[in-house]
PDB file of all heavy atoms in Angstrom:
ATOM      1  N   THR A  28     -13.926  12.217   7.512  1.00 99.00           N
ATOM      2  CA  THR A  28     -15.349  12.371   7.970  1.00 99.00           C
ATOM      3  C   THR A  28     -16.112  11.124   7.598  1.00 99.00           C
ATOM      4  O   THR A  28     -15.782  10.426   6.627  1.00 99.00           O
ATOM      5  CB  THR A  28     -16.010  13.605   7.267  1.00 99.00           C
ATOM      6  OG1 THR A  28     -16.299  13.318   5.913  1.00 99.00           O
ATOM      7  CG2 THR A  28     -15.142  14.853   7.411  1.00 99.00           C
ATOM      8  N   GLY A  29     -17.149  10.839   8.405  1.00 98.00           N
ATOM      9  CA  GLY A  29     -17.832   9.565   8.177  1.00 98.00           C
ATOM     10  C   GLY A  29     -17.027   8.400   8.612  1.00 98.00           C
ATOM     11  O   GLY A  29     -17.226   7.243   8.190  1.00 98.00           O
ATOM     12  N   GLY A  30     -16.060   8.696   9.507  1.00 98.00           N
ATOM     13  CA  GLY A  30     -15.132   7.663   9.924  1.00 98.00           C
ATOM     14  C   GLY A  30     -15.719   6.612  10.858  1.00 98.00           C
ATOM     15  O   GLY A  30     -15.025   5.655  11.213  1.00 98.00           O
ATOM     16  N   GLY A  31     -17.017   6.740  11.197  1.00 98.00           N
ATOM     17  CA  GLY A  31     -17.662   5.793  12.098  1.00 98.00           C
ATOM     18  C   GLY A  31     -18.136   4.548  11.401  1.00 98.00           C
ATOM     19  O   GLY A  31     -18.543   3.618  12.054  1.00 98.00           O
ATOM     20  N   SER A  32     -18.132   4.495  10.096  1.00 98.00           N
ATOM     21  CA  SER A  32     -18.812   3.354   9.398  1.00 98.00           C
ATOM     22  C   SER A  32     -18.191   3.179   8.002  1.00 98.00           C
ATOM     23  O   SER A  32     -17.575   4.027   7.445  1.00 98.00           O
ATOM     24  CB  SER A  32     -20.318   3.629   9.306  1.00 98.00           C
ATOM     25  OG  SER A  32     -20.947   2.599   8.620  1.00 98.00           O
ATOM     26  N   GLY A  33     -18.465   2.001   7.438  1.00 98.00           N
ATOM     27  CA  GLY A  33     -18.272   1.752   6.021  1.00 98.00           C
ATOM     28  C   GLY A  33     -16.947   2.149   5.450  1.00 98.00           C
ATOM     29  O   GLY A  33     -15.864   1.801   5.943  1.00 98.00           O
ATOM     30  N   ILE A  34     -17.055   2.903   4.408  1.00 98.00           N
ATOM     31  CA  ILE A  34     -15.841   3.362   3.663  1.00 98.00           C
ATOM     32  C   ILE A  34     -14.959   4.235   4.521  1.00 98.00           C
ATOM     33  O   ILE A  34     -13.745   4.157   4.502  1.00 98.00           O
ATOM     34  CB  ILE A  34     -16.265   4.103   2.345  1.00 98.00           C
ATOM     35  CG1 ILE A  34     -16.893   3.049   1.374  1.00 98.00           C
ATOM     36  CG2 ILE A  34     -15.121   4.755   1.698  1.00 98.00           C
ATOM     37  CD1 ILE A  34     -17.666   3.656   0.225  1.00 98.00           C
ATOM     38  N   GLY A  35     -15.586   5.145   5.282  1.00 98.00           N
ATOM     39  CA  GLY A  35     -14.791   6.048   6.168  1.00 98.00           C
ATOM     40  C   GLY A  35     -14.016   5.239   7.193  1.00 98.00           C
ATOM     41  O   GLY A  35     -12.822   5.526   7.460  1.00 98.00           O
ATOM     42  N   ARG A  36     -14.690   4.254   7.835  1.00 98.00           N
ATOM     43  CA  ARG A  36     -13.990   3.443   8.840  1.00 98.00           C
ATOM     44  C   ARG A  36     -12.837   2.669   8.209  1.00 98.00           C
ATOM     45  O   ARG A  36     -11.708   2.659   8.734  1.00 98.00           O
ATOM     46  CB  ARG A  36     -14.935   2.500   9.469  1.00 98.00           C
ATOM     47  CG  ARG A  36     -14.230   1.483  10.401  1.00 98.00           C
ATOM     48  CD  ARG A  36     -15.222   0.475  10.988  1.00 98.00           C
ATOM     49  NE  ARG A  36     -16.066   1.181  11.958  1.00 98.00           N
ATOM     50  CZ  ARG A  36     -17.135   0.539  12.574  1.00 98.00           C
ATOM     51  NH1 ARG A  36     -17.405  -0.665  12.220  1.00 98.00           N
ATOM     52  NH2 ARG A  36     -17.832   1.170  13.440  1.00 98.00           N
ATOM     53  N   VAL A  52     -14.049  11.740  12.184  1.00 98.00           N
ATOM     54  CA  VAL A  52     -15.154  12.609  12.507  1.00 98.00           C
ATOM     55  C   VAL A  52     -16.441  11.979  12.049  1.00 98.00           C
ATOM     56  O   VAL A  52     -16.498  11.493  10.974  1.00 98.00           O
ATOM     57  CB  VAL A  52     -14.950  14.020  11.873  1.00 98.00           C
ATOM     58  CG1 VAL A  52     -16.245  14.834  11.951  1.00 98.00           C
ATOM     59  CG2 VAL A  52     -13.771  14.752  12.483  1.00 98.00           C
ATOM     60  N   ASP A  53     -17.440  11.991  12.945  1.00 99.00           N
ATOM     61  CA  ASP A  53     -18.726  11.450  12.558  1.00 99.00           C
ATOM     62  C   ASP A  53     -19.747  12.036  13.525  1.00 99.00           C
ATOM     63  O   ASP A  53     -19.450  12.438  14.611  1.00 99.00           O
ATOM     64  CB  ASP A  53     -18.706   9.909  12.727  1.00 99.00           C
ATOM     65  CG  ASP A  53     -19.762   9.222  11.819  1.00 99.00           C
ATOM     66  OD1 ASP A  53     -20.952   9.368  12.113  1.00 99.00           O
ATOM     67  OD2 ASP A  53     -19.361   8.520  10.868  1.00 99.00           O
ATOM     68  N   ARG A  54     -21.028  12.043  13.120  1.00 98.00           N
ATOM     69  CA  ARG A  54     -22.071  12.505  14.029  1.00 98.00           C
ATOM     70  C   ARG A  54     -22.487  11.446  14.982  1.00 98.00           C
ATOM     71  O   ARG A  54     -23.189  11.695  15.995  1.00 98.00           O
ATOM     72  CB  ARG A  54     -23.252  13.078  13.242  1.00 98.00           C
ATOM     73  CG  ARG A  54     -24.006  11.994  12.510  1.00 98.00           C
ATOM     74  CD  ARG A  54     -25.197  12.525  11.746  1.00 98.00           C
ATOM     75  NE  ARG A  54     -25.791  11.491  10.905  1.00 98.00           N
ATOM     76  CZ  ARG A  54     -26.752  11.722  10.047  1.00 98.00           C
ATOM     77  NH1 ARG A  54     -27.282  12.938   9.880  1.00 98.00           N
ATOM     78  NH2 ARG A  54     -27.232  10.731   9.300  1.00 98.00           N
ATOM     79  N   ASP A  55     -22.115  10.177  14.715  1.00 98.00           N
ATOM     80  CA  ASP A  55     -22.596   9.047  15.469  1.00 98.00           C
ATOM     81  C   ASP A  55     -21.468   8.596  16.451  1.00 98.00           C
ATOM     82  O   ASP A  55     -20.471   7.994  16.055  1.00 98.00           O
ATOM     83  CB  ASP A  55     -22.931   7.887  14.486  1.00 98.00           C
ATOM     84  CG  ASP A  55     -23.468   6.691  15.213  1.00 98.00           C
ATOM     85  OD1 ASP A  55     -23.200   6.492  16.384  1.00 98.00           O
ATOM     86  OD2 ASP A  55     -24.132   5.853  14.534  1.00 98.00           O
ATOM     87  N   ALA A  58     -20.782   4.803  16.773  1.00 98.00           N
ATOM     88  CA  ALA A  58     -20.034   4.357  15.606  1.00 98.00           C
ATOM     89  C   ALA A  58     -18.548   4.767  15.688  1.00 98.00           C
ATOM     90  O   ALA A  58     -17.661   3.957  15.399  1.00 98.00           O
ATOM     91  CB  ALA A  58     -20.628   4.870  14.294  1.00 98.00           C
ATOM     92  N   CYS A  73     -19.076  15.173  15.487  1.00 98.00           N
ATOM     93  CA  CYS A  73     -19.492  16.435  14.821  1.00 98.00           C
ATOM     94  C   CYS A  73     -20.440  16.129  13.659  1.00 98.00           C
ATOM     95  O   CYS A  73     -20.224  15.177  12.908  1.00 98.00           O
ATOM     96  CB  CYS A  73     -18.230  17.124  14.327  1.00 98.00           C
ATOM     97  SG  CYS A  73     -18.477  18.425  13.188  1.00 98.00           S
ATOM     98  N   ASP A  74     -21.375  16.965  13.481  1.00 98.00           N
ATOM     99  CA  ASP A  74     -22.241  16.902  12.300  1.00 98.00           C
ATOM    100  C   ASP A  74     -21.612  17.804  11.211  1.00 98.00           C
ATOM    101  O   ASP A  74     -21.402  19.000  11.479  1.00 98.00           O
ATOM    102  CB  ASP A  74     -23.650  17.380  12.614  1.00 98.00           C
ATOM    103  CG  ASP A  74     -24.636  17.265  11.521  1.00 98.00           C
ATOM    104  OD1 ASP A  74     -24.245  17.452  10.327  1.00 98.00           O
ATOM    105  OD2 ASP A  74     -25.815  16.918  11.765  1.00 98.00           O
ATOM    106  N   VAL A  75     -21.335  17.233  10.062  1.00 98.00           N
ATOM    107  CA  VAL A  75     -20.585  18.014   9.055  1.00 98.00           C
ATOM    108  C   VAL A  75     -21.427  19.146   8.451  1.00 98.00           C
ATOM    109  O   VAL A  75     -20.830  20.033   7.726  1.00 98.00           O
ATOM    110  CB  VAL A  75     -20.033  17.117   7.903  1.00 98.00           C
ATOM    111  CG1 VAL A  75     -19.005  16.157   8.406  1.00 98.00           C
ATOM    112  CG2 VAL A  75     -21.135  16.416   7.155  1.00 98.00           C
ATOM    113  N   THR A  76     -22.698  19.209   8.727  1.00 98.00           N
ATOM    114  CA  THR A  76     -23.474  20.300   8.207  1.00 98.00           C
ATOM    115  C   THR A  76     -23.513  21.493   9.209  1.00 98.00           C
ATOM    116  O   THR A  76     -24.049  22.542   8.863  1.00 98.00           O
ATOM    117  CB  THR A  76     -24.977  19.882   7.928  1.00 98.00           C
ATOM    118  OG1 THR A  76     -25.581  19.538   9.163  1.00 98.00           O
ATOM    119  CG2 THR A  76     -25.020  18.692   6.988  1.00 98.00           C
ATOM    120  N   CYS A 101     -13.493  12.859   2.706  1.00 99.00           N
ATOM    121  CA  CYS A 101     -14.855  13.253   3.047  1.00 99.00           C
ATOM    122  C   CYS A 101     -15.817  12.118   2.736  1.00 99.00           C
ATOM    123  O   CYS A 101     -16.389  12.049   1.660  1.00 99.00           O
ATOM    124  CB  CYS A 101     -15.242  14.533   2.295  1.00 99.00           C
ATOM    125  SG  CYS A 101     -14.257  15.945   2.684  1.00 99.00           S
ATOM    126  N   ALA A 102     -15.913  11.202   3.696  1.00 99.00           N
ATOM    127  CA  ALA A 102     -16.798  10.011   3.484  1.00 99.00           C
ATOM    128  C   ALA A 102     -18.113  10.117   4.210  1.00 99.00           C
ATOM    129  O   ALA A 102     -18.957   9.160   4.118  1.00 99.00           O
ATOM    130  CB  ALA A 102     -16.038   8.727   3.884  1.00 99.00           C
ATOM    131  N   ALA A 103     -18.379  11.204   4.984  1.00 98.00           N
ATOM    132  CA  ALA A 103     -19.671  11.341   5.595  1.00 98.00           C
ATOM    133  C   ALA A 103     -20.727  11.540   4.484  1.00 98.00           C
ATOM    134  O   ALA A 103     -20.505  12.352   3.619  1.00 98.00           O
ATOM    135  CB  ALA A 103     -19.708  12.527   6.509  1.00 98.00           C
ATOM    136  N   GLY A 104     -21.737  10.736   4.522  1.00 98.00           N
ATOM    137  CA  GLY A 104     -22.747  10.865   3.486  1.00 98.00           C
ATOM    138  C   GLY A 104     -24.008  10.162   3.843  1.00 98.00           C
ATOM    139  O   GLY A 104     -24.004   9.300   4.759  1.00 98.00           O
ATOM    140  N   VAL A 105     -25.113  10.526   3.158  1.00 98.00           N
ATOM    141  CA  VAL A 105     -26.386   9.846   3.428  1.00 98.00           C
ATOM    142  C   VAL A 105     -27.002   9.492   2.073  1.00 98.00           C
ATOM    143  O   VAL A 105     -26.762  10.183   1.072  1.00 98.00           O
ATOM    144  CB  VAL A 105     -27.365  10.728   4.225  1.00 98.00           C
ATOM    145  CG1 VAL A 105     -27.021  10.669   5.710  1.00 98.00           C
ATOM    146  CG2 VAL A 105     -27.378  12.186   3.717  1.00 98.00           C
ATOM    147  N   TYR A 106     -27.748   8.420   2.116  1.00 97.00           N
ATOM    148  CA  TYR A 106     -28.397   7.854   0.925  1.00 97.00           C
ATOM    149  C   TYR A 106     -29.897   7.865   1.119  1.00 97.00           C
ATOM    150  O   TYR A 106     -30.315   7.763   2.275  1.00 97.00           O
ATOM    151  CB  TYR A 106     -27.894   6.444   0.736  1.00 97.00           C
ATOM    152  CG  TYR A 106     -28.348   5.693  -0.483  1.00 97.00           C
ATOM    153  CD1 TYR A 106     -28.059   6.158  -1.774  1.00 97.00           C
ATOM    154  CD2 TYR A 106     -29.075   4.513  -0.379  1.00 97.00           C
ATOM    155  CE1 TYR A 106     -28.483   5.469  -2.890  1.00 97.00           C
ATOM    156  CE2 TYR A 106     -29.495   3.828  -1.499  1.00 97.00           C
ATOM    157  CZ  TYR A 106     -29.194   4.281  -2.767  1.00 97.00           C
ATOM    158  OH  TYR A 106     -29.603   3.666  -3.848  1.00 97.00           O
ATOM    159  N   VAL A 125     -25.766  17.415   3.532  1.00 98.00           N
ATOM    160  CA  VAL A 125     -24.784  16.490   4.119  1.00 98.00           C
ATOM    161  C   VAL A 125     -23.736  16.156   3.029  1.00 98.00           C
ATOM    162  O   VAL A 125     -22.511  16.269   3.273  1.00 98.00           O
ATOM    163  CB  VAL A 125     -25.444  15.138   4.609  1.00 98.00           C
ATOM    164  CG1 VAL A 125     -24.388  14.215   5.124  1.00 98.00           C
ATOM    165  CG2 VAL A 125     -26.481  15.470   5.688  1.00 98.00           C
ATOM    166  N   ASN A 126     -24.190  15.680   1.878  1.00 98.00           N
ATOM    167  CA  ASN A 126     -23.221  15.160   0.906  1.00 98.00           C
ATOM    168  C   ASN A 126     -22.372  16.231   0.196  1.00 98.00           C
ATOM    169  O   ASN A 126     -21.205  15.978  -0.104  1.00 98.00           O
ATOM    170  CB  ASN A 126     -23.986  14.354  -0.154  1.00 98.00           C
ATOM    171  CG  ASN A 126     -24.679  13.105   0.416  1.00 98.00           C
ATOM    172  OD1 ASN A 126     -24.538  12.859   1.611  1.00 98.00           O
ATOM    173  ND2 ASN A 126     -25.355  12.341  -0.423  1.00 98.00           N
ATOM    174  N   LEU A 153     -15.980  11.816  -1.975  1.00 99.00           N
ATOM    175  CA  LEU A 153     -16.705  10.625  -2.359  1.00 99.00           C
ATOM    176  C   LEU A 153     -17.835  10.941  -3.319  1.00 99.00           C
ATOM    177  O   LEU A 153     -18.856  11.517  -2.892  1.00 99.00           O
ATOM    178  CB  LEU A 153     -17.256   9.913  -1.071  1.00 99.00           C
ATOM    179  CG  LEU A 153     -16.421   8.816  -0.442  1.00 99.00           C
ATOM    180  CD1 LEU A 153     -16.279   7.592  -1.345  1.00 99.00           C
ATOM    181  CD2 LEU A 153     -15.045   9.291  -0.068  1.00 99.00           C
ATOM    182  N   SER A 154     -17.693  10.547  -4.574  1.00 98.00           N
ATOM    183  CA  SER A 154     -18.753  10.640  -5.526  1.00 98.00           C
ATOM    184  C   SER A 154     -19.459   9.269  -5.559  1.00 98.00           C
ATOM    185  O   SER A 154     -19.459   8.544  -4.530  1.00 98.00           O
ATOM    186  CB  SER A 154     -18.213  11.083  -6.890  1.00 98.00           C
ATOM    187  OG  SER A 154     -19.319  11.215  -7.797  1.00 98.00           O
ATOM    188  N   SER A 155     -19.985   8.885  -6.718  1.00 98.00           N
ATOM    189  CA  SER A 155     -20.721   7.602  -6.806  1.00 98.00           C
ATOM    190  C   SER A 155     -20.969   7.323  -8.271  1.00 98.00           C
ATOM    191  O   SER A 155     -21.101   8.251  -9.089  1.00 98.00           O
ATOM    192  CB  SER A 155     -22.047   7.680  -6.014  1.00 98.00           C
ATOM    193  OG  SER A 155     -22.877   6.617  -6.385  1.00 98.00           O
ATOM    194  N   ILE A 156     -21.152   6.052  -8.592  1.00 97.00           N
ATOM    195  CA  ILE A 156     -21.642   5.652  -9.901  1.00 97.00           C
ATOM    196  C   ILE A 156     -22.974   6.379 -10.229  1.00 97.00           C
ATOM    197  O   ILE A 156     -23.316   6.654 -11.388  1.00 97.00           O
ATOM    198  CB  ILE A 156     -21.797   4.122  -9.954  1.00 97.00           C
ATOM    199  CG1 ILE A 156     -22.249   3.656 -11.370  1.00 97.00           C
ATOM    200  CG2 ILE A 156     -22.721   3.561  -8.942  1.00 97.00           C
ATOM    201  CD1 ILE A 156     -21.269   3.792 -12.474  1.00 97.00           C
ATOM    202  N   TYR A 170     -29.954  12.219  -4.421  1.00 98.00           N
ATOM    203  CA  TYR A 170     -28.694  11.567  -4.194  1.00 98.00           C
ATOM    204  C   TYR A 170     -27.774  11.636  -5.405  1.00 98.00           C
ATOM    205  O   TYR A 170     -26.611  12.025  -5.335  1.00 98.00           O
ATOM    206  CB  TYR A 170     -28.918  10.119  -3.768  1.00 98.00           C
ATOM    207  CG  TYR A 170     -27.581   9.408  -3.460  1.00 98.00           C
ATOM    208  CD1 TYR A 170     -26.933   9.588  -2.275  1.00 98.00           C
ATOM    209  CD2 TYR A 170     -27.033   8.536  -4.389  1.00 98.00           C
ATOM    210  CE1 TYR A 170     -25.720   8.971  -1.949  1.00 98.00           C
ATOM    211  CE2 TYR A 170     -25.836   7.842  -4.122  1.00 98.00           C
ATOM    212  CZ  TYR A 170     -25.195   8.068  -2.929  1.00 98.00           C
ATOM    213  OH  TYR A 170     -24.029   7.455  -2.627  1.00 98.00           O
ATOM    214  N   LYS A 174     -24.128  13.623  -5.875  1.00 98.00           N
ATOM    215  CA  LYS A 174     -22.871  12.968  -6.284  1.00 98.00           C
ATOM    216  C   LYS A 174     -22.292  13.567  -7.541  1.00 98.00           C
ATOM    217  O   LYS A 174     -21.092  13.614  -7.753  1.00 98.00           O
ATOM    218  CB  LYS A 174     -23.067  11.466  -6.359  1.00 98.00           C
ATOM    219  CG  LYS A 174     -23.362  10.803  -5.030  1.00 98.00           C
ATOM    220  CD  LYS A 174     -22.274  11.125  -4.028  1.00 98.00           C
ATOM    221  CE  LYS A 174     -22.482  10.596  -2.620  1.00 98.00           C
ATOM    222  NZ  LYS A 174     -21.417  10.848  -1.696  1.00 98.00           N
ATOM    223  N   SER A 199     -15.117   7.291  -7.075  1.00 98.00           N
ATOM    224  CA  SER A 199     -16.482   7.074  -7.438  1.00 98.00           C
ATOM    225  C   SER A 199     -16.822   5.581  -7.265  1.00 98.00           C
ATOM    226  O   SER A 199     -16.629   4.807  -8.188  1.00 98.00           O
ATOM    227  CB  SER A 199     -16.714   7.542  -8.914  1.00 98.00           C
ATOM    228  OG  SER A 199     -18.065   7.381  -9.264  1.00 98.00           O
ATOM    229  N   PRO A 200     -17.289   5.204  -6.047  1.00 98.00           N
ATOM    230  CA  PRO A 200     -17.583   3.837  -5.803  1.00 98.00           C
ATOM    231  C   PRO A 200     -18.816   3.338  -6.562  1.00 98.00           C
ATOM    232  O   PRO A 200     -19.734   4.130  -6.879  1.00 98.00           O
ATOM    233  CB  PRO A 200     -17.809   3.735  -4.355  1.00 98.00           C
ATOM    234  CG  PRO A 200     -17.319   5.012  -3.776  1.00 98.00           C
ATOM    235  CD  PRO A 200     -17.484   6.005  -4.843  1.00 98.00           C
ATOM    236  N   GLY A 201     -18.873   2.050  -6.824  1.00 97.00           N
ATOM    237  CA  GLY A 201     -20.075   1.403  -7.323  1.00 97.00           C
ATOM    238  C   GLY A 201     -20.866   0.850  -6.168  1.00 97.00           C
ATOM    239  O   GLY A 201     -21.201   1.562  -5.235  1.00 97.00           O
ATOM    240  N   VAL A 202     -21.164  -0.464  -6.180  1.00 93.00           N
ATOM    241  CA  VAL A 202     -21.912  -1.063  -5.054  1.00 93.00           C
ATOM    242  C   VAL A 202     -20.929  -1.668  -4.086  1.00 93.00           C
ATOM    243  O   VAL A 202     -20.243  -2.694  -4.396  1.00 93.00           O
ATOM    244  CB  VAL A 202     -22.940  -2.128  -5.555  1.00 93.00           C
ATOM    245  CG1 VAL A 202     -24.166  -1.402  -6.082  1.00 93.00           C
ATOM    246  CG2 VAL A 202     -22.389  -3.012  -6.603  1.00 93.00           C
ATOM    247  N   ILE A 203     -20.858  -1.069  -2.896  1.00 96.00           N
ATOM    248  CA  ILE A 203     -19.888  -1.431  -1.893  1.00 96.00           C
ATOM    249  C   ILE A 203     -20.597  -1.984  -0.666  1.00 96.00           C
ATOM    250  O   ILE A 203     -21.606  -1.388  -0.238  1.00 96.00           O
ATOM    251  CB  ILE A 203     -19.007  -0.207  -1.479  1.00 96.00           C
ATOM    252  CG1 ILE A 203     -18.468   0.507  -2.740  1.00 96.00           C
ATOM    253  CG2 ILE A 203     -17.868  -0.610  -0.560  1.00 96.00           C
ATOM    254  CD1 ILE A 203     -17.551  -0.277  -3.622  1.00 96.00           C
ATOM    255  N   ARG A 204     -20.079  -3.076  -0.093  1.00 94.00           N
ATOM    256  CA  ARG A 204     -20.736  -3.718   1.024  1.00 94.00           C
ATOM    257  C   ARG A 204     -20.513  -2.890   2.313  1.00 94.00           C
ATOM    258  O   ARG A 204     -19.569  -3.088   3.065  1.00 94.00           O
ATOM    259  CB  ARG A 204     -20.114  -5.103   1.240  1.00 94.00           C
ATOM    260  CG  ARG A 204     -20.902  -6.015   2.161  1.00 94.00           C
ATOM    261  CD  ARG A 204     -20.072  -7.207   2.608  1.00 94.00           C
ATOM    262  NE  ARG A 204     -19.377  -7.871   1.534  1.00 94.00           N
ATOM    263  CZ  ARG A 204     -19.916  -8.894   0.779  1.00 94.00           C
ATOM    264  NH1 ARG A 204     -21.090  -9.339   1.081  1.00 94.00           N
ATOM    265  NH2 ARG A 204     -19.198  -9.441  -0.200  1.00 94.00           N
ATOM    266  N   THR A 205     -21.492  -1.952   2.593  1.00 94.00           N
ATOM    267  CA  THR A 205     -21.445  -1.132   3.818  1.00 94.00           C
ATOM    268  C   THR A 205     -22.908  -1.069   4.298  1.00 94.00           C
ATOM    269  O   THR A 205     -23.823  -1.444   3.583  1.00 94.00           O
ATOM    270  CB  THR A 205     -20.981   0.298   3.514  1.00 94.00           C
ATOM    271  OG1 THR A 205     -22.006   1.057   2.892  1.00 94.00           O
ATOM    272  CG2 THR A 205     -19.675   0.364   2.684  1.00 94.00           C
ATOM    273  N   PRO A 206     -23.121  -0.517   5.520  1.00 92.00           N
ATOM    274  CA  PRO A 206     -24.486  -0.357   5.984  1.00 92.00           C
ATOM    275  C   PRO A 206     -25.327   0.481   5.082  1.00 92.00           C
ATOM    276  O   PRO A 206     -26.610   0.413   5.134  1.00 92.00           O
ATOM    277  CB  PRO A 206     -24.280   0.263   7.382  1.00 92.00           C
ATOM    278  CG  PRO A 206     -22.907  -0.134   7.794  1.00 92.00           C
ATOM    279  CD  PRO A 206     -22.087  -0.169   6.519  1.00 92.00           C
ATOM    280  N   MET A 207     -24.737   1.322   4.269  1.00 89.00           N
ATOM    281  CA  MET A 207     -25.538   2.188   3.368  1.00 89.00           C
ATOM    282  C   MET A 207     -26.201   1.396   2.256  1.00 89.00           C
ATOM    283  O   MET A 207     -27.239   1.779   1.723  1.00 89.00           O
ATOM    284  CB  MET A 207     -24.645   3.256   2.763  1.00 89.00           C
ATOM    285  CG  MET A 207     -25.350   4.229   1.839  1.00 89.00           C
ATOM    286  SD  MET A 207     -24.303   5.508   1.167  1.00 89.00           S
ATOM    287  CE  MET A 207     -24.173   6.627   2.541  1.00 89.00           C
ATOM    288  N   LEU A 208     -25.623   0.232   1.897  1.00 84.00           N
ATOM    289  CA  LEU A 208     -26.084  -0.519   0.775  1.00 84.00           C
ATOM    290  C   LEU A 208     -27.401  -1.205   1.040  1.00 84.00           C
ATOM    291  O   LEU A 208     -27.567  -1.906   2.028  1.00 84.00           O
ATOM    292  CB  LEU A 208     -25.031  -1.570   0.398  1.00 84.00           C
ATOM    293  CG  LEU A 208     -25.233  -2.311  -0.912  1.00 84.00           C
ATOM    294  CD1 LEU A 208     -25.011  -1.342  -2.110  1.00 84.00           C
ATOM    295  CD2 LEU A 208     -24.249  -3.450  -1.042  1.00 84.00           C
TER     296      LEU A 208
HETATM  297  P1  NAD B 200     -22.148   4.441   5.760  1.00 95.90           P
HETATM  298  O1  NAD B 200     -23.551   4.732   5.994  1.00 95.90           O
HETATM  299  O2  NAD B 200     -21.590   3.092   6.123  1.00 95.90           O
HETATM  300  O3  NAD B 200     -21.265   5.565   6.457  1.00 95.90           O
HETATM  301  C1  NAD B 200     -21.547   6.919   6.388  1.00 95.90           C
HETATM  302  C2  NAD B 200     -21.130   7.590   7.684  1.00 95.90           C
HETATM  303  O4  NAD B 200     -21.393   8.993   7.547  1.00 95.90           O
HETATM  304  C3  NAD B 200     -21.870   7.095   8.936  1.00 95.90           C
HETATM  305  O5  NAD B 200     -20.981   6.759   9.953  1.00 95.90           O
HETATM  306  C4  NAD B 200     -22.713   8.305   9.302  1.00 95.90           C
HETATM  307  O6  NAD B 200     -22.922   8.413  10.719  1.00 95.90           O
HETATM  308  C5  NAD B 200     -21.921   9.434   8.777  1.00 95.90           C
HETATM  309  N1  NAD B 200     -22.727  10.647   8.584  1.00 95.90           N
HETATM  310  C6  NAD B 200     -23.884  10.753   7.928  1.00 95.90           C
HETATM  311  N2  NAD B 200     -24.322  12.010   7.977  1.00 95.90           N
HETATM  312  C7  NAD B 200     -23.408  12.739   8.697  1.00 95.90           C
HETATM  313  C8  NAD B 200     -23.292  14.076   9.147  1.00 95.90           C
HETATM  314  N3  NAD B 200     -24.272  14.954   8.829  1.00 95.90           N
HETATM  315  N4  NAD B 200     -22.242  14.424   9.840  1.00 95.90           N
HETATM  316  C9  NAD B 200     -21.250  13.562  10.180  1.00 95.90           C
HETATM  317  N5  NAD B 200     -21.318  12.289   9.854  1.00 95.90           N
HETATM  318  C10 NAD B 200     -22.347  11.841   9.085  1.00 95.90           C
HETATM  319  O7  NAD B 200     -21.933   4.705   4.197  1.00 95.90           O
HETATM  320  P2  NAD B 200     -20.695   4.328   3.217  1.00 95.90           P
HETATM  321  O8  NAD B 200     -21.252   3.321   2.309  1.00 95.90           O
HETATM  322  O9  NAD B 200     -19.499   4.123   3.945  1.00 95.90           O
HETATM  323  O10 NAD B 200     -20.617   5.697   2.391  1.00 95.90           O
HETATM  324  C11 NAD B 200     -19.522   6.553   2.507  1.00 95.90           C
HETATM  325  C12 NAD B 200     -19.539   7.521   1.258  1.00 95.90           C
HETATM  326  O11 NAD B 200     -19.430   6.700   0.097  1.00 95.90           O
HETATM  327  C13 NAD B 200     -20.886   8.272   1.135  1.00 95.90           C
HETATM  328  O12 NAD B 200     -20.675   9.554   0.632  1.00 95.90           O
HETATM  329  C14 NAD B 200     -21.642   7.484   0.067  1.00 95.90           C
HETATM  330  O13 NAD B 200     -22.564   8.241  -0.628  1.00 95.90           O
HETATM  331  C15 NAD B 200     -20.472   7.034  -0.805  1.00 95.90           C
HETATM  332  N6  NAD B 200     -20.818   5.844  -1.623  1.00 95.90           N
HETATM  333  C16 NAD B 200     -21.128   4.668  -1.040  1.00 95.90           C
HETATM  334  C17 NAD B 200     -21.475   3.574  -1.892  1.00 95.90           C
HETATM  335  C18 NAD B 200     -21.863   2.197  -1.353  1.00 95.90           C
HETATM  336  O14 NAD B 200     -22.227   1.320  -2.118  1.00 95.90           O
HETATM  337  N7  NAD B 200     -21.771   1.937  -0.070  1.00 95.90           N
HETATM  338  C19 NAD B 200     -21.491   3.742  -3.277  1.00 95.90           C
HETATM  339  C20 NAD B 200     -21.109   4.967  -3.821  1.00 95.90           C
HETATM  340  C21 NAD B 200     -20.773   6.013  -2.995  1.00 95.90           C
END
Side-chain angles (χ1 to χ4, degrees):
T28 73
S32 177
I34 291 166
R36 173 181 290 172
V52 166
D53 204 291
R54 67 178 173 187
D55 183 337
C73 166
D74 185 323
V75 296
T76 66
C101 296
V105 282
Y106 184 61
V125 177
N126 293 359
L153 265 295
S154 183
S155 166
I156 182 70
Y170 181 77
K174 293 304 176 177
S199 183
V202 281
I203 311 300
R204 193 194 313 270
T205 75
M207 183 178 281
L208 190 67

